[in-house]
Amino acid sequence: MIYTSFDNVGLLKVLTFLKSHKSEYLSGQDLSDVLKISRVAVWKHIKKIRELGYKIESKQKRGYKYVKNTERLLPWEISSDLKTKYMGKRSYYFEEIDSTQNFALQIAPNKKEHGTIVIAQKQTHGKGRLNRKWISSKGGIWFSIILHPKFSIEESTLLPIAASLALSNTIQKILKIKTNVKWPNDITVNGKKVAGMLIDVSSQSNQIESVVIGIGLNYKIKPIEVTKKLTKSPNFYGVETLLNETQTGNPIQLIKEFIYQFEEIIEQLTNGMTSKIISGWTRNSETIRKKVTINTANGKISGVAIKINNDGSLRIKTKHKTERVFVGDILYS
Ligand code: BT5
């Protein structure tokens, strides 16, 4: 099932009316009269609203009362009171999809999708970088953001740094959990991976047409189950979850804050404030000044990680020289 920010009108009419009369019971007849829809339609919408995770109480002869919000990242929940200029105003929510990245890439060329978010509750074929697997069962936050940015291809190489800084700061602010960033695109908690991202850029003659940033965040997953599926993958270094099953949180608030911070950081990138982004990332980093070994397509490189260059690459001092690494996976020495 798919929900968007621009349809589901009838359902939203009922939900908005219930939300705006929080402490009252509203009868099916009242809702039908005020909203000018049939009683059967009211009943169908309320059934659906409950299935979507909202708590609606009902009492015989009195009617329905809104009690509690859903935890699902539904489009209208994300866009309501969102502080951004363009990001997240439009979104698609899938209960199940192969990969949000695949869907986002298909619609990305359309100009109206600038800032659009594609979210899934579950992915059947979640992708990592270099066609690796991303395990995305229910409980995580799996999403892709489409941008038609004003910055150049050179600056786009800094996007994983910018996105992971925004996400790391958001998690610390909203959930008060200490996170670290790990080059090039990971967020860790207790040294294990809690989020990863991947970027697909479409360009023509050095001009960016669209970018799709895919983000996988282990919000409330079972690390043991994910670990079982991953131990054979060569770059695996452990899985962490932000919340365990017994904890409650507010994922809608988390994603709204992220969208806001990400839009701000994209603005900085567009205005050439790369050193601000890099120094913010470095403060959160568990990579810089460490001895590292990196797996690259051309073999392993060992040395001390010195800094992130303006193009997002990592500068490493090996025994004999200083090297720049653009793509790779870090293993700590
Ligand atoms: C990434 O790749 O970390 C990018 C992950 C991006 C996932 C998002 S979800 C929404 C959007 N739609 C998609 O289809 N994808 C994006 P990479 O750095 O290559 O890391 C992949 C590696 O992380 C795998 O080889 C595993 O070792 C490990 N891994 C896979 N699933 C994981 C999980 N849920 N938690 C922690 N580690 C995982």
Side-chain angles (χ1 to χ4, degrees), residues 255-299:
I255 195 140
K256 283 167 81 166
E257 176 66 26
F258 170 71
I259 296 167
Y260 176 67
Q261 293 212 19
F262 191 42
E263 190 180 275
E264 295 253 293
I265 224 162
I266 293 291
E267 187 94 9
Q268 291 172 11
L269 199 57
T270 312
N271 294 329
M273 295 159 76
T274 41
S275 51
K276 185 169 185 220
I277 299 169
I278 291 171
S279 60
W281 188 94
T282 306
R283 268 197 302 279
N284 274 298
S285 145
E286 56 163 306
T287 303
I288 306 303
R289 285 180 294 279
K290 278 212 174 158
K291 263 181 93 181
V292 294
T293 298
I294 305 188
N295 261 338
T296 74
N298 305 318

Side-chain angles (χ1 to χ4, degrees), residues 98-102 118 123 125-130 132-136 141-144 184-186 193-198 213-218 221 226 230 233-240 329:
D98 57 347
S99 151
T100 58
Q101 198 74 358
N102 288 349
V118 181
Q123 296 184 123
H125 291 86
K127 301 191 293 189
R129 290 176 303 148
L130 313 165
R132 291 167 182 154
K133 249 203 238 166
W134 182 260
I135 309 295
S136 355
I141 302 183
W142 325 121
F143 64 112
S144 299
N185 65 333
D186 290 0
K193 185 156 172 167
V194 81
M197 43 204 83
L198 95 138
I213 302 120
I215 300 179
L217 175 61
N218 295 337
I221 57 133
V226 176
L230 285 176
S233 89
N235 60 342
F236 173 78
Y237 62 91
V239 177
E240 191 52 285
D329 292 298

Side-chain angles (χ1 to χ4, degrees), residues 102-142:
N102 288 349
F103 182 82
L105 283 167
Q106 277 169 28
I107 61 168
N110 195 329
K111 284 290 161 232
K112 71 176 180 208
E113 306 293 4
H114 174 48
T116 294
I117 307 195
V118 181
I119 306 180
Q121 198 176 23
K122 183 180 171 189
Q123 296 184 123
T124 50
H125 291 86
K127 301 191 293 189
R129 290 176 303 148
L130 313 165
N131 277 328
R132 291 167 182 154
K133 249 203 238 166
W134 182 260
I135 309 295
S136 355
S137 29
K138 226 168 145 179
I141 302 183
W142 325 121

Side-chain angles (χ1 to χ4, degrees), residues 52-54 68-74 77 93 141 219-220 243 247-252:
L52 288 173
Y54 295 91
K68 199 167 163 240
N69 208 9
T70 180
E71 283 197 10
R72 291 221 211 172
L73 301 167
L74 294 160
E77 293 297 339
Y93 173 90
I141 302 183
Y219 178 72
K220 202 194 270 192
L243 301 184
Q247 290 173 297
T248 50
N250 187 341
I252 297 167

Side-chain angles (χ1 to χ4, degrees), residues 193-251:
K193 185 156 172 167
V194 81
M197 43 204 83
L198 95 138
I199 316 275
D200 286 300
V201 179
S202 145
S203 61
Q204 218 167 40
S205 46
N206 214 36
Q207 200 67 35
I208 296 186
E209 295 195 321
S210 61
V211 179
V212 178
I213 302 120
I215 300 179
L217 175 61
N218 295 337
Y219 178 72
K220 202 194 270 192
I221 57 133
K222 293 180 187 143
I224 297 175
E225 284 184 11
V226 176
T227 304
K228 269 191 216 153
K229 295 181 181 149
L230 285 176
T231 38
K232 287 196 190 98
S233 89
N235 60 342
F236 173 78
Y237 62 91
V239 177
E240 191 52 285
T241 179
L242 289 179
L243 301 184
N244 64 43
E245 277 171 284
T246 57
Q247 290 173 297
T248 50
N250 187 341

